[in-house]
Amino acid sequence: MNEILHRLWIGAAVPLFHPFSPSERIYWLYMVSSYLLAFFVFLLDASLRTGGRGGFWGYAFPKSVYLHPSAVLDYAYFLVYKMFFFLIVVPFLITDDSVRNFFSGAFGKIHAPLALAAPPGAAATVLYSLAAFMVADFGIFLAHYLQHKVPVLWEFHKVHHSAEVLTPITVYRMHPVDDILTATLVSAFAGGFDAAWNFVFQGGSHPAMLMGVNLFTFGYYLFGYNLRHSHVWLSYGPAVSRVFISPAQHQIHHSAAKEHVDKNIGFVFSFWDMAAGTLCIPDRKMDIQFGLRHGEEKEYNSLARLFFLPFVKTARLFTKRRSAV
């Protein structure tokens, strides 16, 4: 009991350190770089500088967004979820190392390591880092795709899509079931990739790291990541949007409009969506209503409902299926 209380106390303090940890998406440098990009958006769009919006500060941090009941609920959910994270998520996680060891053993039974010559020095590090980055991104895409396409998983993913406004903290409005699924698939792909790399190139390689984060991940977070969950419309244009998911594309993903449902599922790369037929590239700035279809987001209006309503709806789903048989 003392150990649990101690961990809860530590968990309560964890969110305070997120802005100072490069491995967290709301690291201060990622936030600053995102809002510097928002400043350029503000400068380039004359319509944003008129109408008594309170200048850049009023545009970037409007009270109607950051003090909206949905945003306030996000802040509370973030704090409470992080406090209990080690109890409700950590016990169900698998590690990259355990997957790597499993696949390494399986490869060893098939054949001895190929021991091909790895690319020289820095080239091997960069290639490994990029490949690992892409493999992890595909794991995130697959988990997200399943969350949208499998009815039971969608009931849990609705928690994230029930946000009526988007702020950088909305990224943490994830149900524990979502986080467990995503972490499991990412670990499976990352561990499998690492084992395969070591099998082909005996001795393996290590990713290029910047402040403890994969160099490519760091760069992606630095280039406007936190505008994904915001009202700031930043499109990369039609060409780049076929490679990378822009903040504007992710905002479309959160749209309650019928034509935007299940679009732009990707995290970093948009070519996964292109292959799956779920890519949507905007040709103009859009006014988007965030939330779920038919006003369902109104049901997710408390901490208890964010945590437990998905279980209730899943039970109803199974009951409805049984009665239809």
Side-chain angles (χ1 to χ4, degrees):
M1 176 60 74
N2 288 338
E3 176 65 16
I4 292 177
L5 291 175
H6 176 67
R7 292 198 178 191
L8 286 175
W9 176 253
I10 293 176
V14 162
L16 301 178
F17 295 96
H18 274 42
F20 307 100
S21 173
S23 63
E24 293 297 335
R25 298 176 188 179
I26 57 170
Y27 178 51
W28 70 269
L29 187 57
Y30 308 148
M31 295 290 290
V32 169
S33 64
S34 291
Y35 282 96
L36 282 175
L37 285 172
F39 181 67
F40 283 110
V41 170
F42 178 76
L43 290 179
L44 293 173
D45 189 340
S47 67
L48 299 176
R49 303 194 301 275
T50 59
R53 299 171 185 266
F56 172 70
W57 186 265
Y59 161 68
F61 304 101
K63 293 180 180 179
S64 60
V65 171
Y66 283 84
L67 295 182
H68 189 283
S70 177
V72 173
L73 182 57
D74 280 351
Y75 310 148
Y77 185 77
F78 169 56
L79 295 173
V80 172
Y81 185 13
K82 289 299 177 181
M83 181 184 295
F84 291 95
F85 185 81
F86 86 98
L87 284 177
I88 57 182
V89 174
V90 171
F92 299 97
L93 298 181
I94 62 172
T95 64
D96 296 3
D97 288 341
S98 63
V99 176
R100 183 190 307 112
N101 293 337
F102 171 80
F103 279 108
S104 294
F107 289 145
K109 293 177 182 178
I110 297 171
H111 197 280
L114 296 181
L116 298 182
T125 299
V126 171
L127 180 61
Y128 177 90
S129 302
L130 178 59
F133 178 61
M134 293 180 69
V135 166
D137 187 63
F138 179 73
I140 295 173
F141 171 81
L142 180 58
H144 199 183
Y145 185 86
L146 294 174
Q147 287 158 357
H148 276 262
K149 298 298 185 178
V150 178
V152 171
L153 296 178
W154 171 238
E155 291 300 339
F156 292 95
H157 194 55
K158 281 180 181 178
V159 168
H160 185 61
H161 280 268
S162 66
E164 297 177 60
V165 296
L166 302 182
T167 76
I169 300 300
T170 306
V171 71
Y172 297 104
R173 185 194 275 234
M174 289 287 190
H175 195 276
V177 171
D178 269 14
D179 281 339
I180 292 169
L181 174 65
T182 301
T184 298
L185 287 180
V186 170
S187 290
F189 280 98
F193 162 75
D194 198 47
W197 179 282
N198 289 332
F199 178 74
V200 175
F201 305 111
Q202 192 173 14
S205 187
H206 300 283
M209 306 292 281
L210 184 57
M211 292 194 285
V213 181
N214 182 305
L215 180 64
F216 291 96
T217 303
F218 189 94
Y220 184 69
Y221 286 165
L222 201 61
F223 197 71
Y225 170 81
N226 282 294
L227 297 183
R228 292 163 61 93
H229 294 106
S230 80
H231 60 287
V232 177
W233 181 268
L234 176 61
S235 173
Y236 293 161
V240 178
S241 294
R242 285 180 168 80
V243 180
F244 297 104
I245 294 288
S246 70
Q249 283 171 282
H250 192 72
Q251 289 163 18
I252 287 172
H253 176 73
H254 275 270
S255 171
K258 182 179 179 180
E259 62 270 23
H260 295 152
V261 171
D262 298 342
K263 297 298 184 182
N264 299 334
I265 291 172
F267 180 61
V268 176
F269 297 107
S270 56
F271 41 69
W272 311 127
D273 279 294
M274 192 179 301
T278 55
L279 182 63
C280 178
I281 299 175
D283 57 4
R284 67 188 188 284
K285 184 177 179 180
M286 299 179 179
D287 291 324
I288 296 175
Q289 178 183 340
F290 301 123
L292 297 165
R293 298 290 311 285
H294 312 301
E296 191 179 357
E297 69 276 356
K298 301 297 183 183
E299 299 179 39
Y300 299 82
N301 56 7
S302 70
L303 288 174
R305 283 175 170 264
L306 289 178
F307 280 112
F308 299 113
L309 187 57
F311 293 106
V312 174
K313 294 202 170 194
T314 299
R316 290 175 185 166
L317 193 65
F318 282 112
T319 300
K320 184 183 296 184
R321 286 187 174 181
R322 282 198 300 268
S323 63
V325 175

